């Protein structure tokens, strides 16, 4: 990665960039930074060319080909009013979709809450974490984008793709990182001001892959007895509103409920 391009392109809203040639996990590194110095200037970006022990959601491993893909974490101070971080996750998915579209013209969609999908395959995963130190809370938004890799481990090769495979062109990782940061921080600042997601509901729902389609809900891997439901879009807190066969609307929360399409992953 060319760190000088990154420095040139990065928006003023970001305070600093920490680039590492290799690191276990950019999320873990960001966590370490704030634990060592709680006066650190934020927002801060951590990125690397080689993430050796990337973490995925639900305790999974996130593998990324060295020098080809994007592993980045944005570390921010959370406003006092913020109780959960699931809303921030939805903002980051939106930021990635917009950034990919700006850099490549590809139109990706979102699998609620935060997978970025191109033609039914995942191009980006997001892991948001929150840490508390005394009375202060910090948020780490970890974003993994399959940018230029052209092959995937056996276990995910049917479900994953990259921007290069989708667009048939190499993508500038520096441009993609900086655009993602720019969109994300703009959305985040607005979210802090408004205190809910009402300002992105329409935009998010227009990109929601399951919108008005049947979905299968499960909790702890146990399917809901009344499956399938119809996905109707997110509410102002980022929950997914689903409609049951008897026309009742219920809102499910990420972290508690998993949602997939009737035909499989999306
Ligand atoms: C998922 O879809 O399961 C989430 C994957 C998140 C991966 C990113 S890569 C950068 C950051 N550092 C990590 O260890 N994980 C996130």
């Amino acid at each position: 990665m060319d760190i000088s391009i990154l420095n040139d392109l990065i928006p003023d809203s970001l305070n600093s960039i920490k680039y590492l040639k290799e690191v276990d996990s950019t999320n873990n590194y960001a966590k370490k930074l704030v634990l060592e110095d709680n006066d650190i200037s934020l927002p801060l970006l951590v990125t690397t060319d080689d993430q050796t022990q990337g973490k995925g959601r639900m305790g999974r491993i996130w593998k990324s080909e060295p020098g080809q893909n994007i592993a980045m974490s944005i570390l921010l101070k959370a406003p006092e009013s913020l109780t959960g971080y699931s809303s921030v996750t939805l903002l980051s998915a939106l930021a990635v979709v917009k950034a990919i579209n700006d850099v490549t013209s590809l139109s990706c969609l979102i699998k609620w809450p935060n997978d970025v999908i191109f033609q039914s395959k995942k191009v980006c995963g997001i892991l948001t974490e929150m840490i508390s130190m005394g009375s202060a809370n910090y948020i780490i938004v970890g974003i993994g984008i399959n940018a230029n890799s052209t092959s995937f481990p056996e276990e995910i090769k049917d479900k994953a793709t990259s921007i290069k495979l989708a667009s048939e062109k190499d993508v500038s990782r520096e441009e993609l990182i900086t655009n993602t940061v720019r969109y994300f921080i703009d959305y985040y600042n607005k979210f802090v001001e408004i205190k809910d997601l009402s300002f992105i509901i329409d935009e998010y729902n227009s990109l929601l892959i399951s919108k008005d389609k049947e979905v299968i809900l499960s909790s702890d891997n146990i399917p809901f007895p009344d499956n399938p439901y119809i996905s109707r879009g997110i509410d102002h807190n980022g929950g997914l509103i689903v409609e049951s066969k008897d026309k009742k609307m219920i809102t499910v929360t990420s972290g508690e409920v998993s949602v997939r399409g009737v035909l499989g992953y999306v």
Side-chain angles (χ1 to χ4, degrees):
M1 188 158 344
D2 190 331
I3 187 73
S4 64
I5 302 183
L6 209 55
N7 277 319
D8 284 351
L9 293 175
I10 214 78
D12 294 342
S13 49
L14 189 78
N15 218 291
S16 59
I17 305 175
K18 184 81 199 161
Y19 165 77
L20 304 145
K21 206 168 161 32
E22 184 191 305
V23 72
D24 55 350
S25 150
T26 54
N27 269 29
N28 285 354
Y29 191 87
K31 203 178 290 177
K32 222 165 21 191
L33 286 180
V34 77
L35 290 174
E36 277 165 8
D37 174 12
N38 57 7
D39 260 347
I40 194 164
S41 298
L42 302 178
L44 177 147
L45 170 74
V46 180
T47 188
T48 182
D49 266 310
D50 189 3
Q51 178 170 258
T52 54
Q53 287 176 60
K55 302 186 294 182
R57 291 177 68 215
M58 315 202 189
R60 288 191 280 252
I61 294 169
W62 179 263
K63 287 190 188 160
S64 189
E65 212 181 317
Q68 302 297 324
N69 291 333
I70 291 173
M72 59 188 270
S73 301
I74 305 168
L75 172 63
L76 310 117
K77 182 137 194 232
E80 272 168 33
S81 56
L82 194 79
T83 48
Y85 53 79
S86 54
S87 316
V88 179
T89 292
L90 274 71
L91 296 176
S92 46
L94 205 49
V96 172
V97 171
K98 305 257 287 198
I100 293 176
N101 190 253
D102 277 5
V103 177
T104 67
S105 306
L106 282 183
S107 301
C108 293
L109 295 173
I110 301 171
K111 177 179 182 290
W112 181 84
N114 59 4
D115 283 354
V116 176
I117 307 290
F118 182 76
Q119 290 181 345
S120 305
K121 291 185 169 181
K122 180 159 162 173
V123 293
C124 163
I126 297 167
L127 173 69
T128 309
E129 298 182 87
M130 196 159 170
I131 29 176
S132 300
M133 281 177 65
S135 58
N137 288 324
Y138 299 86
I139 297 174
I140 299 167
V141 183
I143 302 175
I145 307 179
N146 300 331
N148 291 320
S149 56
T150 50
S151 63
F152 294 93
E154 190 60 31
E155 62 278 15
I156 56 164
K157 76 174 187 349
D158 296 332
K159 289 198 285 194
T161 190
S162 70
I163 295 171
K164 178 170 176 166
L165 288 172
S167 66
E168 296 175 352
K169 279 191 215 111
D170 266 312
V171 62
S172 155
R173 291 183 297 154
E174 295 83 356
E175 255 186 82
L176 203 47
I177 292 172
T178 50
N179 277 20
T180 301
V181 170
R182 180 174 305 114
Y183 277 118
F184 174 73
I185 293 181
D186 285 355
Y187 280 130
Y188 183 77
N189 287 342
K190 191 114 188 247
F191 168 70
V192 170
E193 186 192 319
I194 294 178
K195 299 191 174 64
D196 68 31
L197 294 179
S198 44
F199 69 104
I200 58 139
I201 291 179
D202 289 347
E203 190 176 25
Y204 186 95
N205 285 344
S206 72
L207 298 167
L208 182 63
I209 208 157
S210 64
K211 180 82 170 54
D212 299 324
K213 297 202 178 107
E214 288 189 334
V215 288
I216 305 290
L217 306 186
S218 58
S219 182
D220 287 333
N221 278 329
I222 302 168
F224 279 32
D226 294 330
N227 278 326
Y229 291 77
I230 297 179
S231 156
R232 293 298 185 202
I234 59 159
D235 71 1
H236 64 286
N237 290 317
L240 184 70
I241 304 164
V242 294
E243 187 178 338
S244 65
K245 280 178 210 125
D246 54 2
K247 307 266 172 251
K248 283 205 192 77
M249 297 290 182
I250 57 169
T251 304
V252 296
T253 318
S254 70
E256 289 165 11
V257 174
S258 304
V259 176
R260 64 167 180 84
V262 277
L263 297 176
Y265 169 57
V266 287

